[in-house]
Amino acid sequence: MTETKTLRLPVQLPRGFDECERCAGRLTDSLLQLDGVRAVHVDFQHSTMTLTYDPTLSPIDEVEQRAEQVGIEIRERFEHKTIVLVGLDCPDCALKLEKGISRIPGVLWVSTNFASSRMSVEYEPARVDLDTIIRRIRSLGYDARETQVVPLTPSITFSSLGAPSTLTLVSGITLLIACALAASRMPSPAHVLFLISAVAGGFYAARGAYFSLKSLMLDMNFLMTVAAVGAIAIGDYFEAAAVMFLFSLGNMLEARTVEKARESVSSLMGQFPTQARVKREGGEELIPADEVHVGDLFIVRPGEKIATDGTVSDGSTAVNESSITGESTPADKVAGDQVFAGSINLNGSIDVVATTGAADNTLARIVCLVEKAQAEKAPVQRFTEVFGRYYTPAVVVLAVVVALVPPMLFHAAFRSSLYIALTLLVVSCPCALVISTPVSIVSAIGNAARNGILFKGGSFVETAGKVRVIAFDKTGTITTGRADISDVLCGDGMNESDVLSLAATVESRSEHPLAEAIMRAARKREIKPRSITYFQSLTGMGAAAKFDGETCVVGNSRLMDQLGMDTGKWSGELQRLQEEGKTAVLVASGRTIVGIIAVRDTVRETAKSALDQLRKLGVERTVMITGDNELAARSVACDLGIDEYYAELLPQDKVDIIRVLIERFGSVAVVGDGVNDAPALAAATVGIAMGAAGSDTALETADIALMSDDLGKLPYALRLSRGAMGIIHQNLVFSLAVIAVLILTALMGILKLTVGVFGHEGSALLVIANGMRLIRFK
Ligand code: ADP
Ligand code: MG
C-alpha cells in the first residue's frame, strides 16, 4: 500500500541559489534520497517547492530537516505533535482512531500506537488546529492531551482502568454464580444472572461499539457486541456472558501489561530533578528545577541531582550519568566540563552554570525523542495493518454469507449457521497480529533508552537489525581524537606557547575533537584564547578565525594548499609525524605557516572488542572513512582489522562513498560523531551518532544516537534490534497461525464462541508478553 501527497511549500532559498544549478540539484537529490519522496520541483521565481511524497515513509518534518541540511528553510512550518491518548482499549481501536483523524482536512499524516498510547500527528496550522484534532478524538470516544515537555509527574496512565476492572469483576462473579445455578437446574435465575454478567462485562464494549457505528468504522468492540447480542438472540445466554466477560478481562489485562512497557519511559521521567540550589545575591536559594534559567549559577552537593545541563565552573567531583548514557561507571568532572540534567553528583560539591533551561536540557529532549519514536511505526507494522484492513471486512462479509446462504439455499438450520457466523465475528479481529509489532518495538526502544541508546523511530530498530555493512568515521569515533598533544613544532621567531595560543584561539569555537585536544593542552599551560571577531569551520579540513587584525587558520595540508600557502618547508616534518601514526595539523597566521601541532590520536579502548562483537553478530564488512591522511588511516585500519578504508575525504566525498557502498551492499550503517559527519549520516541507511549527550547536532541528525562515547553500545544496539526483529517474527507467525486455526475451526462449526474469544484474547496476551521480554533484554 502506498499513498502519496503533493504539497506546495513556500521556501526560503539561500541567496544566489537560483543561479546555482548544482545547488538546486543537490537539494533535489538529497530529498529524493529519502524513502518515500517521489518528486521534487523547486520553483525559483516563486520560491516554492513542490513535493510529492509518501507520508507513511517520510514524515514531513524529516523532509524539512533534510532540506534545512542543504540550506533551504521551509517558511510555513508544519506542526508535528505527539499526543497522549487516554482510554485506548484495543489495538484495532488505535487504527480506527488513526483513520478518523486522517480524514480531518489539513491533517497531513497521523500515526497511533496502542502500545505507547501515543498519537503523532502532522498538520497545517493554517487549516486545522490541535483543539479540533483533540475534539475529534473525543467524538470518537477517547480522550487526549498534549505531552508535556517536562513531565515532573508520571504521565497519566490508562485512566479508565478503574471502572472497567470493577465491571469485569462483577461480570466474572455473576457469571460464576449463574453457572452454579444453571448446574443446579435453575435456568430462569441463571439466565437473568448471565444477562447481568453480559451487560457488566460488555458495558465498555457496547460504548465502543456505539462510537464505532457513529464513525462507520468496524472495530473489535462492535464485533464482540454483535456476537454477544447474537448469542442472546439464539438463546445462548451463557455464551453471551462468557464472551463479554472474557473480552473485558482480556482488554483489561492487555492494557495493564502494555502499561508496563510504557513504564520504561516513565522510568526516564522519574530521573527528572525537582530542585536546584541557585546562588543569588545573599546566598543560596532552593527553587524548582524548571525555574532555572540559562546563565544561572547553581550548586550541587554530593548526593544531589543536577538540575539542568551546564558547565562546571568550580569544584570537582564524580557524577553518575546513567540516566543519560546508561553508563553506571562514574564520570569525573572538573571545571570546564559539561554536566547533564538528572545525573547524580556522587562526592564533591560543584558550582554549575546552566546552559539550558528545564524544557530543553538533554534529559527532556531524550524523553521527547523517545515519546516520538514510540509513536512511530516500523515498516513490518504496516504489513500487519494492511492485513487487518482487508482481513476484518473479509471475515465480516464471510460471516454474513455463512449466516444467510446455507439456510436460504440448502435449508440448513438457521440457528447453527448463525452460531458459526458469530464465531467468525469473534475471531475476525487480528488483534494479536496488530499488537505484535508495536509492543515489541516500544519495549525495545524503552530498553535502549535506559541503556543510553536512542532509536529515533521503530523503523530504525528494523533497519539496524538487518545491517550487514558498517562504515565508521575515524576521528572522534574509532579514535578518541582528544588524546594529548605529542608535538608542537614552531617556525622562526615563535615558541610553542605562541603556536598553541594561536591554534587554541581558533579552536575555541570549533566542535571538532581535535579542537578539544588543542584547547586542553592550552589550558594546561594556562594559555587563554583571545577574543575572536570572525570564525569559520572548514568542515573536514580545519577552521579559521580572525583576531587581533589577523586571520589564523588551523588545518591539514590540503586546506593550506587550497588557500595557496606554501607548505614545502614543513612537508618533511609532516611526513615524519604522520609516519609515526600521528594526526598533524598546520597552524598559519596570515599567509605564513608558523607551526605544526601533532596529536597522537588513540584508538578507543572499546573499539577492538566492539568490532569483534560486530563480526560475531554477522556484520560482513567494516569500512573506515576519514578526512585524515592515508598513513594515519592505514595504521588504524590495520590495527583493528577493518576491511576497507578511504582516507583524505571531504564531507561530500564521504557521502559519495556511502552511496557507492549502498549500491554494492544494499544497506549501510554509518557511525560518526555527528558533528561534521552529518551529511554522511544522512546518506546512510541508518545513521548512528556517538557521544550525542553533548552535541545537539548529533542528537538531531542521527537515526540512532549513542548518548555516551562508548563504542560497545553499538553491538548492543544491533543485538537488541535483532532480538526485537526475532520476537516480532515469532509473534507474527504465532498470531497468523492462531488466526488460521480459529477461522478454520469456526468454519467447520467446531469452535465454541467462548473458545473463540479465549483464543483471540489469549493470543493477544501471549504476544504482548513475548514482546515485553525485550524490556529485560541484556
Ligand atoms: P574524520 O573523518 O577522521 O573524522 P574529519 O573529517 O573530522 O576527520 O577531519 C579531517 C581532517 O581535517 C583532520 O584529520 C584534521 O587534519 C582536519 N581538521 C578538521 N577539523 C579541524 C579542526 N577544527 N582543527 C584542525 N584540524 C581539523
Ligand atoms: Mg570525525
Side-chain angles (χ1 to χ4, degrees), residues 473-475 507 510 512 540-542 556 585 626-628 654 676:
D473 168 59
K474 184 180 78 81
T475 319
E507 302 285 24
S510 168
H512 199 272
M541 297 194 293
N556 54 16
V585 290
T626 175
D628 206 351
K654 291 187 182 176
N676 53 4

Side-chain angles (χ1 to χ4, degrees), residues 13 17-21 23-24 41-48:
L13 300 164
F17 211 81
D18 45 347
E19 288 142 33
C20 165
E21 234 171 77
C23 310
H41 176 73
V42 181
D43 178 349
F44 295 108
Q45 227 175 355
H46 302 101
S47 285
T48 55

